[in-house]
Amino acid sequence: MLPFVLEKARSAEEAIERAAAGARYIAGGTTLVDLMREEVERPERLIDINTLPLSGIREEGGELVIGALARMAEVAADADVQRLQPLIAESLIEGASPQLRNMASIGGNLLQRVRCPYFRMLDVGCNKRTPGSGCAALNGLNAGHAILGTSDHCVATHPSDLAVALVALDATMRVRGPQGERSFPVEDLFRLPGDTPHLEHTLLPGELIVEVRVPGSDHSRRARYLKVRDRASYEFALVSTAAALVIENGVIRQARLAVGGVGTKPWRLRDCEAALAGRKPEKRVFEEAAKLAIQGARPLQHNHYKLELLPRTIVRALELTGEVA
Amino acid sequence: MTVNVIGNPLPRVDGHAKVTGSARYAADFNQPGQAYAVIVSATVGLGRITGIDAKAVQQMPGVIAVISHLNAPRLAYRPHKAGVDPAVGERLHVLQDDRVRFYGEPVAVVVAETFDQAERAAAALRVTYTAERPIVDPSDPKSQPIVAEATLRPEAFVHADTSRGEADRVLAGATIKVDTTYDIARENHNPMEPHATVAAWKGDRLTLWSKSQYVVNERAEIAAVFGVPVENVQVICPFIGGAFGTSLRTWPHVTLAALAAMQTKRPVKLVLTRKQMFFTTGHRPRTVQRVALSVTPDGKLTSLIHEGAGETSRYEQFIEALTSATGHMYSCPNARTRYRLLPFDTGTSVFMRGPGEASGIFALECALDDLSYAVGIDPIELRRRNEPRIDEGENKPFSSRSLMKCYEAGAERFGWSRRNPKPRSMRDGRLLIGMGVASATYPAWQSPASARVRLLASGVAEVEAAASDMGPGTYTSMTQVAAETLGLPMDQVRFSLGRSDFPPTPSHGGSWTMASVGSAIRAACIAVQEMVAARAIADQRSPLFGASLDGVEWNEGRLRRRGDTSAGQPYRDIVARAGRPIEADASTQRDPEVAGRYSMHAFGAVFAEVAIDPDVGTIRVRRALGTYGAGRIVNPRLAKSQCTGGMIGGIGMALMERTALDLRDGRPVNAHMADYLMPVNLDIPELDAHFVDEVDPHVNPLGVKGLGEIALVGMAPAIANAVFHATGKRVRNLPIRIEDVLTA
Amino acid sequence: MTPTDPHSLDPLSLKKGAAEPSDETDARLRVSRREVLQLAGGAASLAAVPGAWAQTPTSPGSGPAAATRVRLTVNGEPQHLDIDPRQSLLDVLRETLDLTGTKKGCNQGACGACTVLLNGKRIVSCLTLAAMQDGASVETIEGLAKGNRLHPLQAAFVEHDGLQCGFCTPGQIMSGVGCIAEGHARSPEEIQFWMSGNICRCGAYPGIVAAVADAAGRA
Ligand SMILES: Cc1cc2nc3c(=O)[nH]c(=O)nc-3n(C[C@H](O)[C@H](O)[C@H](O)COP(=O)(O)OP(=O)(O)OC[C@H]3O[C@@H](n4cnc5c(N)ncnc54)[C@H](O)[C@@H]3O)c2cc1C
Ligand code: FES
Ligand code: FES
C-alpha cells in the first residue's frame, strides 16, 4: 500500500472541496482498502466521510430514502426497507458476508470496482486500471465476464447486487458537488466501457453521493432478487435478476427487469419488460420475453453458458415473483 | 481395571487454547526486534531475470535489505531428501540463479521494519525478465507424458505399469463395457492459516517458528540448505492452522525467512500472501485418466483398465497413488494400470488430503457407476458381486476389510432402498433429486516413530513427540493413548508436540499419525512403567518389594500386585524416592514380517443426495453419509468431526475447487480466496459419519487405521454419481459446476 | 512387490527403556519454557505502554511517514497508539498489540478469520484501517472469557467440537457472538446463512452450527 494522508471530513463542503482537489472518499473501505493494498488504487489523500450525517434511512411521501453512508446490513434489516422495498433487502443479504455488510456503505457499494481478476494483477494489461495497456481477460480466462455491453477494451461485469435492484426499481440518486446538488437515475451513474473503460461512472470531480431514493410503486410487492452462483453464499453472481411485476386482472400491467453478472453495468432489460406487458404471467410468456435478453450478447471463449443461464435465471426470477405473499 | 479412555468421545484437550485465542500458530510468535520479510514473486511463467533495480527500493522508508540472486549468498543445498520429497529430481534452489522456472517463483525478498513498509517495498521492486511461453496444460501439443523413475522401483507405492491377465484383449471382445476419461482440476490446499515462518539466529543457531507438518524434517532440510549441523536448528510448531499436505515439505519461503534473518541479523517474520500460496507450496496435481471396464451380464467384472497421468514440475517428479488402489478394490481376473507424469513449467505438486486415491477412486467409481447402468444392476449390488476375497493385485490377504459391511450399514442408514434407479426419476417439487454412492479406500500405513514419557513426582506424566496436530486431534488422542496405557486420568497427562528436538516422528500426513505416534507413545508408556515397577520391586520400603515384573499392574496412578485390590503404591512416591523424574524413550515400527504378509487398508462407502435446480443448474448436496471400516476409533467425537470435515473437502472437490491457469504464462488466475471457491457454511447439508465395528489385530497394537484421508476419498464420485442419477448427464470433469448441468 | 510407506523415515530401531533424563535435557527444556514465558510477558507489557510498539526500532529516515495517533479501547482497555495510517486494525492487533488470537487468513475480506467486534458489530479487521477507528471499542477473542470462565459460545465450541485446527475459530466465535446478538441464530438454517462469512477449511461447520445454536438457546 502506498502511503497516504488520512483526514476526517468535518463538513460535507470541506470534504467536497478536498475531493475536487483530488482526494478520495472512503466509507466502509471494503473496496478501497482491499485495492489499495494491491496497489491497484493509489490515492494520496483519503477523506473519511463516516463523520458526515448521511446514514439515515427514511420514508418520504412513499419514497424510500437511503443515506449514502447507511450500511448494507442496516438497510437490509430496516423495517421501512423491508416493508416498502423488500427487493432491496433481498439483493443486499445475498451479497458479500454479514461482516462486510456491517462495514460496507450504500454509496461505496454502487462505486465498488470490478472483480475481474486481471484488474488486480499489476503485471498484465488492463485498460480499466492503466488506460491503453490492453485487456488480459479478452483472451484469458473469462468465464465470469460480461456478455452485454462489452467492448474490445473491457469485458468486466459490474459486481454490485444492490445496483441491479436499484436499477430495476427506477431509483434515483442525489449527489452533491462543488457546483451544488443534482439528482439523476441510478442507472445513469454507470458508463459502458467503450474505449474508455477507466471512466466507470458519471460523477463529476468531487461529487459526493448523498442518498439514493426509491420511488414507491406497485412493483414493490411482487419483486424478487435471484442470484445464481456455484457456492450458496459469499460469492458474486454468475447471473442475477431483479424482477418485479404489476399484475392486474391476471394480466401483467408492467414489468421491471434488471440483471447482474452479465453486463458491464447493471443491465436493465426494457425489451423484455415490453414483451411481458399485457400478457399472462405464465412460464411460456416469461420464456419468450427472456429470450430477448441475449439479443446482441457477445460471448467470450469461456462464458457461453451465460447465454443459456441468463434467460433461465430471468424466467425463474419471474416465477418467484408469483411466490411472494 | 484400567481407565477406559480409548474409545471415549472426549472433548479436545486443546479446545480451551483454541477458543480463547491462546493457541499460538507460527505467525503468532512475535519476537522482540522483529523485522518483516515479503517475497517478490516472478511475473513470467518461464524465462530469465535480466535486471533487478534494488537501489531505489533500498532507499525506501524502513527497508533493511533487498535480497535476490544478485546478492544472496550461495547456499549449501546439501543433498537431503525425506519421504515427503519426490525421490527423483532436485528441490528448488531459491535466489541462486537468474532462471525463472514457473510463474510466481520467488525472485527476491524484501525486509523492512514494519509489515506495511515491507509490502510496499516488495511491490515497488522493479524486476525485468526475458520470457518464454511455459507449458502448463495437458492439451498443449508440446506436453509429453513421462514414466516417473520412482514408479519403476519394485517397492514403489505406485507403479508405472501393473497387469494381471489380459485386460485389453478381454475388453476388446466384451459386449457390456464402459470406456471413459476424466479430467480433475488442480486444487490448492488453501488451509486457513497461510504458510508462515518466524526465523531468529543466535550466532550459528537458528530457531524457526514455522508452520510444518514435519518439524524434524524441516530442521534437517534447513540444516542441509544452509550447511549447518542439524543440532543448530530448532523448529517449533505447536499448532497448525490446517495444512492437508501443503506443509509436509519445507518450501522455499522457509529458506527465505532464515536467509532474511541471517542477512539482516534480526528476527524476521515472513508470511505468504494468499496469492503466493498458489505458487510455491504445492497443489493436488491436475489429473487426466481413463477407466475401461467390462462385465458379464450377471455383473462379474471381466476386465479393468485404469490409466492416469498427473502434473508435476520440470525439476521434480512428484508421484501419488493415483492408480494404486485399483488393484485391490474389486475382483477381476484381467486388470491393468498405468501411471505417468506430465512435467509442466509449474511448481512441484504435493500430497493433498487423500493424495492419489481421491483422484484415482473418483475415476474408478464413476466408471463403475456407469457400468451399473450399462448392465442394469444396482451399484451396491454390482460392487458386492465383485467383492474380492484377497487383494488380487498383491496376492495377499487383507488384514481386515469391511467394505461390504460399510455398504450394508450405510444403505440402511441412508435409505438407499428409497432410490428409484432410473436417472432423472426422482423429484422434490421442481428440484431434481439424485442419489449416488461410491467406495472409499486408503492404505493403513504405519511409519517408524518415537516418543518419550517422563513421570514426575507431582504425579503428572509428560509425553513428548515431534508430531503435529493440524486439526484431527493429535493432542487429544495421544493423551488418551498415554492415559489409558499408564492408567492415569486425562488431566494428569501432558502431551507436547511440534518441536524438532522431541523424539522424531514421521510426517503428519498419510493418516498414519495415530498408528505411528500412538504406537510409539504406547511403547514409551509401557517402558516407563517397567522402569518404575523395577524400582518399586527393588525397593525394600515398597509394598511391591520382591514382586515379579509380570506380577504388578498399574491402576489410576498406582502400582499394585496383580489381583490385589488394595491401594498399592502411588507411582509418584516411587518417582519421588528416585529423586528425579523417570523417563523412557521408545521407538516403534510395524513388524516388517506382518507388513509383508497382509494388505492393509481402510475402506468406506459414501452416500450422497443432491438436489439440482433444473432451471438454473445450481447443485446442492442435501445430505451425505460416510460409513467407514477403519479399525479402532480412539475418539468417536473427534473421528466424526474429522470425517465430516473430509467429506466437506470432498464436496469442494466435487463442486467448486479448481485452480485455473492462464495458459499464456501459467499464472493461477483465481489465486484469491473469493475466487477459489471452497464450501461455506450454507453449502453444508446434513452430514453423518458412521464407523462399522472392525477389529484388526495386524495393523498395529492399537488396531487403528487412520481417518484423515479416507474421509475425503469417495465423496466426489458419490456426488458425481448422484448428479448423473438426478439429471441423466454424466460429468467426467471436476469440479462439476452450474455450466456443466445447465443443459442436462 | 511390497509397497513401502510413501514418506517413511529411515527405519528406527526399537529401543526401549533406560533413558533417565540427562541434565542436558532438563536444562534445555527449562530454558525453552522460560523463553516462551518471557516473550509473552514482554510483549504484553510493551503493549501496555502507550505508543511503545509504534516506536519499535526504525532505521534512519523510515519513521512512520505520517504517524497517526489513535485511541482504541481493546477488550475494555484503553490504548493510545501511534500507528502508520496504512495499518489495518488486524495488523495493529496482531503486530502492535501482540493480540495474536485474531487471525489473518486472506487479508482480502474473503475468509472471515480476522472477525472482531467493532463497536459491538462483527466486521473483518483486515479491511479496516485502524486510523479511521479513533475512539472505537474493539472486542477480540482474547477479551471474551471472564477470567477462567469461558463465554458460553466458547464453551459450546468445545462441547460441540466446532473446531479442528482452530485457526478459523477466533473469527467464527466472534462472528457467532455477532450473529446471536443480531438475532440471526433462531434455526440451524438461519445460522448457516448468517455464518457463511467465515470459511472453515477443516469443515467443522456442523459443530459450528450446533455451538451457535446451543449458545443462542442459552442466551
Ligand atoms: C470478499 C468480498 C465479497 C463481496 N461480495 C459482494 C457481493 O456478493 N455483492 C456485492 O454487491 N458486493 C460484494 N462485495 C463488495 C462490497 O459490497 C463493496 O466493497 C462495498 O459495498 C463497498 O462499500 P464501502 O463503503 O466499503 O466502500 P469504500 O471501499 O469505502 O469505497 C468504494 C468507492 O466508493 C467511493 N465512495 C464511497 N462512498 C462514497 C460517497 N458517498 N460518495 C462518493 N463516492 C463514494 C470511494 O471513494 C471508493 O472509490 C464484496 C466485497 C468483498 C471484499
Ligand atoms: S483475513 Fe480478513 S477476511 Fe480473511
Ligand atoms: S477449524 Fe481449521 S479452518 Fe476451521
Side-chain angles (χ1 to χ4, degrees):
Chain A
M1 196 183 294
L2 284 120
F4 57 85
V5 174
L6 175 72
E7 291 175 278
K8 268 198 194 323
R10 275 174 301 189
S11 68
E13 292 73 23
E14 188 196 68
I16 290 165
E17 194 182 303
R18 297 287 164 90
R24 280 292 281 287
Y25 299 126
I26 182 162
T30 60
T31 289
L32 208 45
V33 174
D34 185 23
L35 292 174
M36 282 166 62
R37 187 168 289 133
E38 308 248 15
E39 302 199 354
V40 172
E41 293 272 21
R42 306 169 151 235
E44 285 171 20
R45 260 171 198 280
L46 287 183
I47 315 167
D48 177 356
I49 54 175
N50 292 296
T51 43
L52 301 179
L54 300 177
S55 53
I57 306 166
R58 61 185 192 277
E59 188 195 341
E60 251 178 47
E63 203 172 39
L64 180 67
V65 185
I66 305 172
L69 286 172
R71 307 292 141 158
M72 289 169 74
E74 286 165 12
V75 178
D78 186 87
D80 282 339
V81 175
Q82 293 187 354
R83 181 171 52 87
L84 296 170
Q85 302 293 356
L87 176 64
I88 290 182
E90 198 173 14
S91 76
L92 284 169
I93 63 166
E94 289 293 307
S97 71
Q99 292 94 311
L100 288 164
R101 297 196 295 268
N102 276 338
M103 303 166 72
S105 68
I106 296 304
N109 186 293
L110 296 178
L111 292 181
Q112 65 177 289
R113 312 288 313 267
V114 297
R115 301 299 298 197
C116 169
Y118 296 102
F119 175 62
R120 289 172 174 263
M121 297 173 184
L122 298 182
D123 58 323
V124 297
C126 172
N127 293 319
K128 192 178 269 303
R129 193 187 60 234
T130 318
S133 63
C135 170
L138 266 182
N139 298 308
L141 300 186
N142 45 36
H145 289 72
I147 54 174
L148 295 167
T150 57
S151 73
D152 291 343
H153 305 278
C154 184
V155 292
T157 57
H158 192 275
S160 166
D161 291 299
L162 170 68
V164 175
L166 293 178
V167 163
L169 294 170
D170 276 338
T172 61
M173 56 200 288
R174 199 153 69 83
V175 304
R176 195 162 152 195
Q179 257 71 55
E181 285 193 5
R182 62 188 184 107
S183 290
F184 52 88
V186 169
E187 197 180 357
D188 294 349
L189 175 68
F190 308 102
R191 299 167 71 129
L192 289 176
D195 53 9
T196 54
H198 59 291
L199 304 177
E200 292 179 340
H201 56 74
T202 56
L203 295 183
L204 302 169
E207 272 185 334
L208 174 75
I209 302 176
V210 173
E211 64 196 23
V212 167
R213 305 181 79 97
V214 194
S217 85
D218 300 340
H219 295 105
S220 311
R221 266 166 299 120
R222 279 179 180 275
R224 289 300 298 268
Y225 188 73
L226 175 63
K227 183 171 178 180
V228 178
R229 44 185 164 177
D230 284 306
R231 172 157 98 177
S233 183
Y234 212 178
E235 189 191 356
F236 288 91
L238 293 178
V239 174
S240 69
T241 299
L245 293 179
V246 182
I247 296 176
E248 273 173 14
N249 306 324
V251 171
I252 301 171
R253 182 162 64 78
Q254 230 189 52
R256 298 279 185 77
L257 276 176
V259 289
V262 287
T264 51
K265 61 178 199 172
W267 208 259
R268 182 80 181 258
L269 293 169
R270 293 204 167 72
D271 287 353
C272 302
E273 292 174 7
L276 289 166
R279 314 271 312 267
K280 281 218 174 93
E282 54 190 34
K283 188 158 192 169
R284 194 178 42 82
V285 172
F286 296 162
E287 282 171 349
E288 264 174 48
K291 264 192 218 135
L292 302 174
I294 55 169
Q295 277 178 345
R298 296 206 313 174
L300 302 159
Q301 192 186 350
H302 304 114
N303 67 5
H304 278 262
Y305 72 95
K306 288 192 178 179
L307 293 178
E308 184 72 33
L309 185 55
L310 173 59
R312 287 162 173 256
T313 306
I314 294 169
V315 171
R316 185 66 203 134
L318 287 166
E319 285 181 342
L320 284 173
T321 60
E323 291 175 20
V324 183
Chain B
M1 201 186 72
T2 52
V3 194
N4 253 324
V5 282
I6 292 189
N8 256 356
L10 301 172
R12 282 171 204 267
V13 297
D14 52 343
H16 189 275
K18 285 176 173 171
V19 300
T20 54
S22 57
R24 292 173 91 194
Y25 302 77
D28 300 344
F29 287 90
N30 285 327
Q31 300 301 308
Q34 152 186 304
Y36 292 81
V38 171
I39 293 176
V40 179
S41 306
T43 54
V44 298
L46 185 65
R48 283 185 190 275
I49 303 165
T50 54
I52 297 182
D53 184 9
K55 256 219 203 87
V57 169
Q58 197 81 57
Q59 306 304 317
M60 292 176 63
V63 172
I64 305 167
V66 180
I67 309 167
S68 70
H69 76 281
L70 297 175
N71 61 351
R74 295 307 88 169
L75 297 173
Y77 276 107
R78 287 199 309 239
H80 171 77
K81 266 187 203 301
V84 292
D85 301 310
V88 175
E90 176 57 21
R91 79 263 223 218
L92 194 70
H93 293 198
V94 72
L95 305 190
Q96 300 294 294
D97 60 28
D98 64 351
R99 288 186 52 199
V100 175
R101 292 153 193 84
F102 57 91
Y103 187 93
E105 179 177 344
V107 294
V109 60
V110 178
V111 192
E113 296 295 342
T114 71
F115 173 64
D116 292 278
Q117 290 168 334
E119 199 181 39
R120 168 80 265 272
L125 187 69
R126 294 237 347 269
V127 183
T128 49
Y129 307 89
T130 56
E132 292 165 57
R133 195 180 170 116
I135 298 169
V136 295
D137 195 85
S139 68
D140 192 309
K142 286 197 229 126
S143 162
Q144 283 298 329
I146 62 163
V147 174
E149 287 165 49
T151 60
L152 298 173
R153 300 176 187 168
E155 76 284 4
F157 64 86
V158 55
H159 298 287
D161 294 281
T162 69
S163 183
R164 59 179 190 255
E166 293 183 85
D168 294 278
R169 195 185 54 77
V170 174
L171 180 76
T175 48
I176 313 174
K177 58 182 164 187
V178 297
D179 195 339
T180 55
T181 57
Y182 303 85
D183 188 345
I184 302 179
R186 175 192 288 196
E187 287 181 89
N188 276 88
H189 308 69
N190 271 309
M192 293 302 292
E193 182 196 14
H195 293 262
T197 302
V198 178
W201 291 87
K202 245 187 209 142
D204 60 355
R205 293 189 164 257
L206 171 66
T207 305
L208 299 168
W209 293 266
S210 189
K211 179 175 186 180
S212 171
Q213 291 171 257
Y214 199 1
V215 287
V216 285
N217 185 57
E218 183 132 319
R219 168 198 217 183
E221 166 70 4
I222 290 299
V225 169
F226 285 84
V228 298
V230 171
E231 312 79 67
N232 287 18
V233 181
Q234 167 76 305
V235 179
I236 299 172
C237 182
F239 290 97
I240 298 177
F244 317 107
T246 184
S247 294
L248 286 168
R249 296 191 72 187
T250 293
W251 300 106
H253 64 271
V254 184
T255 300
L256 290 176
L259 179 63
M262 186 169 85
Q263 297 298 86
T264 59
K265 302 195 165 43
R266 293 270 294 272
V268 164
K269 182 194 277 195
L270 188 154
V271 183
L272 291 192
T273 63
R274 182 55 60 176
K275 183 169 165 183
Q276 288 170 337
M277 288 174 69
F278 288 75
F279 299 156
T280 52
T281 56
H283 42 261
R284 188 195 297 286
R286 173 156 175 202
T287 52
V288 287
Q289 300 179 71
R290 169 187 175 226
V291 176
L293 305 168
S294 61
V295 270
T296 61
D298 62 353
K300 275 297 297 168
L301 280 170
T302 53
S303 71
L304 191 175
I305 296 171
H306 185 182
E307 301 174 330
E311 63 175 326
T312 186
S313 66
R314 292 232 182 259
Y315 52 92
E316 286 175 313
Q317 295 186 355
F318 168 78
I319 57 171
E320 61 171 9
L322 187 66
T323 51
S324 307
T326 304
H328 71 249
M329 281 310 287
Y330 303 109
S331 175
C332 181
N334 306 290
R336 181 172 72 68
T337 68
R338 163 164 294 183
Y339 175 62
R340 296 293 182 266
L341 290 182
L342 299 164
F344 291 152
D345 299 303
T346 76
T348 307
S349 318
V350 78
F351 304 103
M352 179 168 165
R353 201 167 191 177
E357 276 78 5
S359 307
I361 287 289
F362 171 75
L364 181 62
E365 293 298 303
C366 286
L368 216 65
D369 198 62
D370 268 339
L371 192 68
S372 79
Y373 291 99
V375 67
I377 296 174
D378 172 81
I380 297 178
E381 176 59 21
L382 181 64
R383 287 168 176 90
R384 202 183 59 74
R385 291 190 192 174
N386 293 287
E387 174 71 2
R389 292 194 19 255
I390 62 162
D391 175 339
E392 295 179 4
E394 297 288 335
N395 218 354
K396 283 180 201 166
F398 292 104
S399 62
S400 60
R401 171 170 166 130
S402 308
L403 181 61
M404 288 328 296
K405 247 167 110 180
C406 291
Y407 270 114
E408 282 149 25
E412 171 76 31
R413 277 173 101 89
F414 193 71
W416 184 254
S417 59
R418 294 203 303 273
R419 175 180 182 264
N420 177 341
K422 220 173 133 246
R424 224 184 161 90
S425 62
M426 293 178 70
R427 284 190 179 250
D428 179 1
R430 295 170 42 253
L431 300 177
L432 298 171
I433 302 301
M435 289 162 82
V437 73
S439 303
T441 186
Y442 197 78
W445 302 111
Q446 182 183 346
S447 225
S450 47
R452 177 175 303 139
V453 177
R454 187 181 309 114
L455 296 178
L456 309 183
S458 63
V460 163
E462 290 182 342
V463 182
E464 292 166 354
S468 316
D469 187 348
M470 61 177 159
T474 313
Y475 275 109
T476 310
S477 55
M478 296 305 157
T479 305
Q480 284 178 269
V481 169
E484 168 133 342
T485 316
L486 293 172
L488 283 179
M490 288 285 283
D491 60 7
Q492 298 271 75
V493 176
R494 302 231 177 93
F495 174 55
S496 310
L497 51 66
R499 287 178 65 102
S500 58
D501 56 355
F502 283 166
T505 61
S507 61
H508 182 40
S511 292
W512 62 36
T513 296
M514 194 64 241
S516 310
V517 183
S519 296
I521 287 176
R522 183 175 171 275
C525 289
I526 292 170
V528 87
Q529 284 174 337
E530 286 179 3
M531 288 169 64
V532 172
R535 273 183 183 273
I537 290 166
D539 183 349
Q540 300 194 353
R541 288 164 301 175
S542 166
L544 297 162
F545 178 65
S548 75
L549 250 187
D550 293 340
V552 296
E553 66 178 4
W554 195 259
N555 181 41
E556 294 186 21
R558 290 165 179 277
L559 271 185
R560 63 184 185 199
R561 286 172 198 269
R562 207 171 275 287
D564 177 1
T565 49
S566 75
Q569 187 180 23
Y571 80 68
R572 80 167 97 88
D573 290 359
I574 308 169
V575 177
R577 227 166 267 168
R580 54 173 14 167
I582 299 178
E583 182 180 277
D585 280 32
S587 300
T588 51
Q589 64 178 340
R590 182 175 278 160
D591 179 345
E593 208 260 320
V594 177
R597 206 172 331 134
Y598 296 100
S599 171
M600 303 184 186
H601 305 270
F603 292 91
V606 185
F607 297 77
E609 180 179 305
V610 300
I612 296 179
D613 186 314
D615 296 316
V616 296
T618 41
I619 311 166
R620 303 284 182 249
V621 178
R622 291 230 288 201
R623 55 196 189 99
L625 164 71
T627 11
Y628 305 99
R632 190 169 180 203
I633 302 304
V634 173
N635 184 323
R637 177 197 310 235
L638 305 197
K640 185 172 173 187
S641 266
Q642 200 186 6
C643 285
T644 51
M647 290 163 73
I648 291 169
I651 293 175
M653 181 181 187
L655 301 176
M656 295 176 203
E657 295 183 44
R658 168 173 61 183
T659 303
L661 305 184
D662 191 319
L663 303 191
R664 294 171 295 185
D665 57 10
R667 82 177 60 214
V669 173
N670 59 338
H672 190 295
M673 207 82 159
D675 298 333
Y676 181 96
L677 300 184
M678 302 180 274
V680 296
N681 207 319
L682 193 58
D683 289 299
I684 299 314
E686 207 186 299
L687 290 181
D688 193 9
H690 174 70
F691 306 99
V692 301
D693 286 334
E694 185 181 80
V695 177
D696 189 322
H698 308 297
V699 273
N700 50 56
L702 291 167
V704 299
K705 286 183 171 178
L707 286 172
E709 327 286 332
I710 194 172
L712 186 143
V713 179
M715 192 72 228
I719 292 171
N721 294 341
V723 168
F724 175 76
H725 180 235
T727 62
K729 181 171 179 191
R730 175 63 66 178
V731 184
R732 301 181 198 282
N733 300 347
L734 291 184
I736 304 171
R737 296 201 181 186
I738 286 172
E739 55 190 279
D740 298 306
V741 298
L742 200 54
T743 52
Chain C
M1 292 200 305
T2 311
T4 56
D5 305 349
H7 13 121
S8 62
L9 287 171
D10 295 335
L12 301 168
S13 55
L14 182 80
K15 67 181 161 80
K16 205 168 135 187
E20 300 257 323
S22 69
D23 292 338
E24 203 264 297
T25 319
D26 258 346
R28 191 198 55 224
L29 286 170
R30 241 183 286 125
V31 167
S32 60
R33 282 205 191 100
R34 195 169 55 226
E35 250 169 27
V36 172
L37 285 175
Q38 272 179 352
L39 289 171
S45 53
L46 267 177
V49 180
W53 271 60
Q55 279 130 32
T56 36
T58 45
S59 61
S62 74
T68 312
R69 173 148 289 215
V70 290
R71 290 158 304 140
L72 296 173
T73 303
V74 182
N75 299 327
E77 283 190 31
Q79 303 280 356
H80 295 255
L81 305 161
D82 287 323
I83 59 164
D84 185 329
R86 291 176 293 184
Q87 278 188 277
S88 64
L89 177 59
L90 175 60
D91 285 340
V92 167
L93 291 171
R94 289 183 52 80
E95 310 300 329
T96 307
L97 296 172
D98 203 37
L99 289 171
T100 54
T102 308
K103 303 302 182 204
K104 185 187 281 188
C106 69
N107 219 17
Q108 297 174 311
C111 76
C114 64
T115 304
V116 299
L117 300 185
L118 180 67
N119 299 325
K121 287 198 171 136
R122 50 175 166 160
I123 53 111
V124 289
S125 57
C126 66
L127 295 186
T128 302
L129 290 179
M132 282 171 64
Q133 301 307 330
D134 192 29
S137 88
V138 181
E139 269 184 81
T140 73
I141 191 73
E142 288 93 345
L144 216 48
K146 297 280 163 273
N148 257 340
R149 260 203 32 238
L150 294 180
H151 181 282
L153 187 57
Q154 290 174 310
F157 263 71
V158 177
E159 173 58 32
H160 295 279
D161 211 34
L163 55 99
Q164 290 179 33
C165 76
F167 197 81
C168 73
T169 311
Q172 299 279 2
I173 292 177
M174 297 317 289
S175 191
V177 170
C179 180
I180 294 169
E182 292 159 13
H184 287 141
R186 287 163 305 184
S187 71
E189 296 72 32
E190 193 181 36
I191 292 167
Q192 285 198 283
F193 184 90
W194 290 93
M195 286 298 289
S196 278
N198 293 80
I199 294 177
C200 175
R201 182 55 156 162
C202 296
Y205 295 128
I208 292 168
V209 174
V212 174
D214 186 349
R218 281 189 234 167

